[in-house]
Amino acid sequence: EAESCPVPEADNYELVPQDPFGEQVLDLFKAAAIFILPFAGPIIAFAVWPLLLRLVHSVLGEEKSLLELTQMTLNPTTNGIVVACLATALGTLTSVTVWTLRQRQLDVRANLNKEACDLNLLRMALAVNIGPTGQASDAVTDPCIYVQVLALLRQYAARVVLETSKRADARRLERQDVGNSELAGIIQAISTCGASRDIRQDIVQHVGNLNGTRSARLAQLSTAFPLIHWVILALLASSIALCFLIEVDQSEGRFFSERPEDSVRLRLVWAILVGTFSGLAALCADLSDPFRGSFNIVRTTDQFFVMQNKIDRELEAVLFETNPSLTRGDVERFLKAADDGTGSVDYGEFASMLEQHVGAGVDGPANKRVGADMQGARDSGGSGSKNSGNVGNAAATA
């Protein structure tokens, strides 16, 4: 069953926090692990080589005619068939894994840039068509509707920041209802404000572009390699390492000059093999998280913080013109109060709350202006009657 993805709580309608202390510690730990693993792996392998080889020999045990078996059967079979198959499978899967993870990061970055452009175009279209200073010939200058769509647009930008931050949960993104976002509330507001058909079609086109880009981005973020993929890679690498250990294991005087556990050359070759696997593991671990490590796209989301600031300033200006006592924090509380308890917002209830408060601020100055005009008309009428009476008295005296 699909779940909703509510926007995180923020005090005073602030920006969504990106790097709390816990996330910084996790970033530092993962970066240290990624950079240390390629060096720690071969160093540990070089150090434990004698112990590891004695362990392998104790497990395999003594075997008669091992030298003849190694030269006639074991080496040709292991090197020509087993290791070749393992290396081909490991190389192919590793290449596909690295390319897929890197391509996913590039695709998410491209979709974020496109989403930022579409979001800015939607903001400009709303300002032109329904803003207080709308320049379109058929613009609908309704401050209440404009405050509503600005608040929803701002919350959508916060949603994008949350979905593309280090706090994003891929499993939750996969389960959520993709169509349940603030964009649906914007469409509903435009449909009920009496806008013309051209305006509605223009807004719907921009919203459709945003929905398509967001759907592609969420699909890329929530689609990752399953656990069995990493298990297979680990088993292939372990199998190649085990074949190496089996081949260098000796008995019956196979090595005449020195024992394999005392050979520096064999230790170096073993360290190089383990270092290769450790480096590939660190690279895959780095690429698997798009928002941590050396390969990350965190800075791509900075443009949405700039977009949030622009919307905040525009929303403050509209609120100051319509109802100076109303703040952005009040609008945020109205939006959270319209939550039905499942993370979905009742946009009709949110519109009603804004109508009560923003509409009161609009009607107040208008009523004052009407009252002043009526008082001026009464004053003018009274002065006219008084002047008429004076003229009549002067005529009677004459």
Side-chain angles (χ1 to χ4, degrees):
E1 184 179 357
E3 296 181 0
S4 59
C5 183
V7 176
E9 299 286 340
D11 296 333
N12 195 22
Y13 212 47
E14 299 275 341
L15 295 176
V16 178
Q18 179 79 0
D19 285 321
F21 177 74
E23 293 181 3
Q24 294 179 358
V25 173
L26 184 59
D27 292 344
L28 181 62
F29 174 77
K30 183 170 183 179
I34 289 174
F35 284 106
I36 291 176
L37 183 60
F39 301 98
I43 292 174
I44 295 175
F46 186 87
V48 302
W49 167 253
L51 298 175
L52 184 62
L53 198 59
R54 282 197 292 269
L55 176 62
V56 172
H57 184 72
S58 64
V59 172
L60 296 178
E62 296 290 342
E63 191 171 353
K64 295 181 179 181
S65 303
L66 181 59
L67 182 60
E68 181 180 356
L69 175 65
T70 301
Q71 294 176 351
M72 300 299 296
T73 306
L74 188 61
N75 280 349
T77 303
T78 304
N79 297 333
I81 300 176
V82 179
V83 175
C85 294
L86 293 174
T88 302
L90 180 62
T92 303
L93 283 180
T94 303
S95 175
V96 171
T97 302
V98 172
W99 183 86
T100 303
L101 293 177
R102 182 55 179 167
Q103 188 62 37
R104 182 181 70 162
Q105 287 189 346
L106 296 178
D107 291 340
V108 173
R109 186 192 297 271
N111 283 326
L112 281 174
N113 291 333
K114 186 176 184 300
E115 197 167 2
C117 294
D118 291 338
L119 189 63
N120 190 43
L121 291 176
L122 176 60
R123 182 182 66 85
M124 297 174 63
L126 291 172
V128 170
N129 291 317
I130 66 173
T133 59
Q135 300 174 358
S137 58
D138 53 350
V140 180
T141 57
D142 189 343
C144 184
I145 296 296
Y146 193 53
V147 169
Q148 180 182 353
V149 296
L150 280 181
L152 294 175
L153 200 63
R154 200 271 180 196
Q155 288 296 88
Y156 178 81
R159 181 186 295 275
V160 175
V161 171
L162 175 65
E163 293 173 345
T164 55
S165 68
K166 302 168 185 178
R167 301 163 57 192
D169 187 355
R171 290 173 296 182
R172 187 174 184 180
L173 292 179
E174 189 175 3
R175 293 193 307 266
Q176 71 171 332
D177 185 6
V178 179
N180 184 17
S181 69
E182 291 75 14
L183 298 178
I186 295 177
I187 294 295
Q188 181 177 340
I190 296 299
S191 301
T192 58
C193 71
S196 65
R197 181 178 180 180
D198 293 337
I199 292 179
R200 293 198 304 270
Q201 289 180 348
D202 186 27
I203 302 301
V204 168
Q205 181 179 0
H206 290 296
V207 170
N209 293 336
L210 272 176
N211 267 328
T213 307
R214 177 172 178 260
S215 299
R217 172 175 55 81
L218 291 179
Q220 292 156 0
L221 289 176
S222 59
T223 302
F225 288 107
L227 180 61
I228 188 63
H229 178 84
W230 305 109
V231 171
I232 291 174
L233 287 176
L235 289 177
L236 289 174
S238 302
S239 300
I240 294 176
L242 182 59
C243 289
F244 177 83
L245 294 175
I246 291 175
E247 285 200 12
V248 301
D249 181 42
Q250 67 91 24
S251 62
E252 295 185 355
R254 178 184 172 193
F255 293 90
F256 299 101
S257 60
E258 59 179 346
R259 295 182 303 174
E261 58 264 25
D262 299 329
S263 174
V264 178
R265 296 177 180 84
L266 288 177
R267 296 178 76 171
L268 287 176
V269 173
W270 170 249
I272 292 173
L273 180 64
V274 175
T276 302
F277 295 153
S278 301
L280 290 176
L283 179 61
C284 292
D286 193 353
L287 289 171
S288 62
D289 192 342
F291 308 107
R292 287 188 175 90
S294 303
F295 297 90
N296 65 78
I297 55 174
V298 174
R299 294 302 177 188
T300 310
T301 61
D302 290 348
Q303 54 192 326
F304 290 95
F305 288 105
V306 177
M307 184 71 64
Q308 285 177 316
N309 287 326
K310 291 181 180 179
I311 298 175
D312 286 343
R313 290 194 298 268
E314 195 168 353
L315 185 59
E316 287 175 350
V318 176
L319 291 176
F320 181 78
E321 292 293 333
T322 56
N323 190 352
S325 63
L326 201 62
T327 63
R328 288 186 292 115
D330 296 330
V331 177
E332 168 72 0
R333 284 188 289 272
F334 297 157
L335 188 59
K336 286 182 170 56
D339 193 338
D340 59 2
T342 62
S344 300
V345 177
D346 187 347
Y347 300 111
E349 182 180 355
F350 177 55
S352 300
M353 294 181 183
L354 288 180
E355 185 68 29
Q356 293 175 2
H357 295 81
V358 178
V362 174
D363 294 339
N367 291 335
K368 290 180 181 180
R369 288 194 298 269
V370 172
D373 295 340
M374 293 179 64
Q375 183 64 33
R378 284 196 298 268
D379 294 341
S380 299
S383 299
S385 300
K386 186 179 296 183
N387 292 335
S388 300
N390 293 335
V391 172
N393 294 334
T397 304

